[in-house]
Amino acid sequence: MRIPRELEKLMVFGIFLCLDAFLYVFTLLPLRVFLALFRLFTLPCYGLRDRRLLQPAQVCDILKGVILVICYFMMHYVDYSMMYHLIRGQSVIKLYIIYNMLEVADRLFSSFGQDILDALYWTATEPKERKRAHIGVIPHFFMAVLYVFLHAILIMVQATTLNVAFNSHNKSLLTIMMSNNFVEIKGSVFKKFEKNNLFQMSNSDIKERFTNYVLLLIVCLRNMEQFSWNPDHLWVLFPDVCMVIASEIAVDIVKHAFITKFNDITADVYSEYRASLAFDLVSSRQKNAYTDYSDSVARRMGFIPLPLAVLVDIPEST
């Protein structure tokens, strides 16, 4: 009976970490990019005291900013209306299969994308006297841009599919999508789990829940825009939103409760997980850290804020 309380405390802490990393893209990152560019342009006035023009963290900030700007303009060429009507014309079974494939692809993209971004950051900040054993900064940069663009499109298709489910006359598609969550119980409960495996699954659940919250927010904003921001329409969407969130919470509680029961894991393990996430956050605050804490959250949870930030920043998709 302690599992739901301890699990939700971990979930809330992890969701706030993801929210912090997500909002960092819109708040602190532009300021850091501005300071890095200011240092770059004013460097001749002060003289070159250091062999490096910029600190490694500043190089990474500029790369993130350039990737966001390029992907922002690329996303304007994606026709959201055509995508919506194309998905709406499919049958319920096809959409269910598509949604399952998108969930698997999202996890694969998140895992592969962090490796691409890490390779780019290391290539751009490594010591110049080292013998290069890679393809170089420019190819890594184009790979990172292509990854963020494709991942943003994938998340847009997820949001569009969810929007179609909300706007369909019968709620069969929404019910089928919610029932997909219960498949996780069948695939996880009867497997043997160690503490490290349970930690990885908990991080994956945190990332999945936060992403679903953002997708629900996008769907609600899109629908409110279509109805001229009529508050009455929000109450029409409210039961469906609550139903999706409640199913997510119920599935996570049941899944973790039985996994800990069958593997003799106590509820105190979730306090250890919270301490581990807090330690990652504190470690990334070091003065000489190469990257910010959003990258630490990405590596631990598999949550990469750049594609989601590109999608949310596009007026046509919100």
Side-chain angles (χ1 to χ4, degrees), residues 8-262:
E8 288 308 310
K9 288 166 65 176
L10 173 65
M11 287 288 176
V12 170
F13 182 68
I15 287 174
F16 274 109
L17 284 181
C18 292
L19 179 62
D20 191 22
F22 180 64
L23 295 180
Y24 169 88
V25 178
F26 302 100
T27 54
L28 291 180
L29 182 60
L31 295 176
R32 290 170 63 101
V33 172
F34 173 76
L35 292 176
L37 293 176
F38 180 79
R39 170 184 167 85
L40 185 63
F41 291 135
T42 59
L43 197 61
C45 300
Y46 300 98
L48 188 60
R49 299 179 182 179
D50 193 2
R51 296 182 62 184
R52 287 183 176 272
L53 295 177
L54 295 173
Q55 296 298 321
Q58 294 176 320
V59 175
C60 295
D61 292 335
I62 292 178
L63 289 174
K64 290 179 185 178
V66 174
I67 290 173
L68 283 173
V69 171
I70 292 176
C71 292
Y72 173 80
F73 286 105
M74 290 173 65
M75 288 295 292
H76 279 82
Y77 293 96
V78 180
D79 192 348
Y80 175 80
S81 300
M82 184 188 68
M83 183 185 300
Y84 177 83
H85 291 291
L86 181 64
I87 294 177
R88 191 173 185 178
Q90 305 299 320
S91 63
V92 174
I93 300 300
K94 282 185 179 180
L95 289 179
Y96 174 68
I97 296 174
I98 291 173
Y99 196 76
N100 287 340
M101 294 173 60
L102 291 175
E103 284 190 344
V104 175
D106 180 59
R107 296 186 180 185
L108 295 178
F109 267 60
S110 298
S111 177
F112 184 60
Q114 188 58 47
D115 294 337
I116 293 177
L117 294 176
D118 285 342
L120 173 64
Y121 300 152
W122 165 247
T123 306
T125 59
E126 68 174 334
K128 302 304 179 185
E129 62 269 11
R130 289 174 56 92
K131 182 180 179 181
R132 293 178 179 263
H134 48 73
I135 58 179
V137 179
I138 302 300
H140 279 153
F141 176 78
F142 283 112
M143 289 173 62
V145 171
L146 181 63
Y147 154 71
V148 174
F149 177 66
L150 293 179
H151 200 173
I153 291 180
L154 187 144
I155 299 175
M156 177 184 284
V157 176
Q158 280 185 302
T160 306
T161 308
L162 193 61
N163 195 15
V164 170
F166 270 74
N167 292 329
S168 59
H169 296 292
N170 57 351
K171 300 301 179 181
S172 58
L173 178 58
L174 190 61
T175 305
I176 290 175
M177 287 181 177
M178 289 172 52
S179 66
N180 186 45
N181 294 328
F182 292 90
V183 179
E184 297 182 19
I185 300 178
K186 178 182 177 182
S188 304
V189 165
F190 300 106
K191 292 182 180 179
K192 183 174 179 57
F193 275 83
E194 301 292 338
K195 288 185 177 181
N196 291 334
N197 303 120
L198 183 60
F199 187 32
Q200 294 175 358
M201 190 180 73
S202 300
N203 291 329
S204 178
D205 291 338
I206 292 171
K207 177 254 181 185
E208 180 181 359
R209 192 181 292 191
F210 177 78
T211 305
N212 288 337
Y213 288 167
V214 176
L215 292 181
L216 288 174
L217 177 62
I218 292 174
V219 170
C220 290
L221 291 177
R222 179 68 180 177
N223 280 274
M224 292 295 292
E225 182 188 6
Q226 293 295 322
F227 286 87
S228 302
W229 302 99
N230 186 4
D232 295 334
H233 185 67
L234 182 62
W235 296 108
V236 177
L237 297 173
F238 188 72
D240 295 334
V241 173
C242 291
M243 190 166 55
V244 173
I245 294 176
S247 67
E248 285 276 349
I249 295 175
V251 166
D252 288 339
I253 288 176
V254 172
K255 181 173 63 175
H256 283 264
F258 280 98
I259 286 176
T260 51
K261 171 182 170 58
F262 292 149

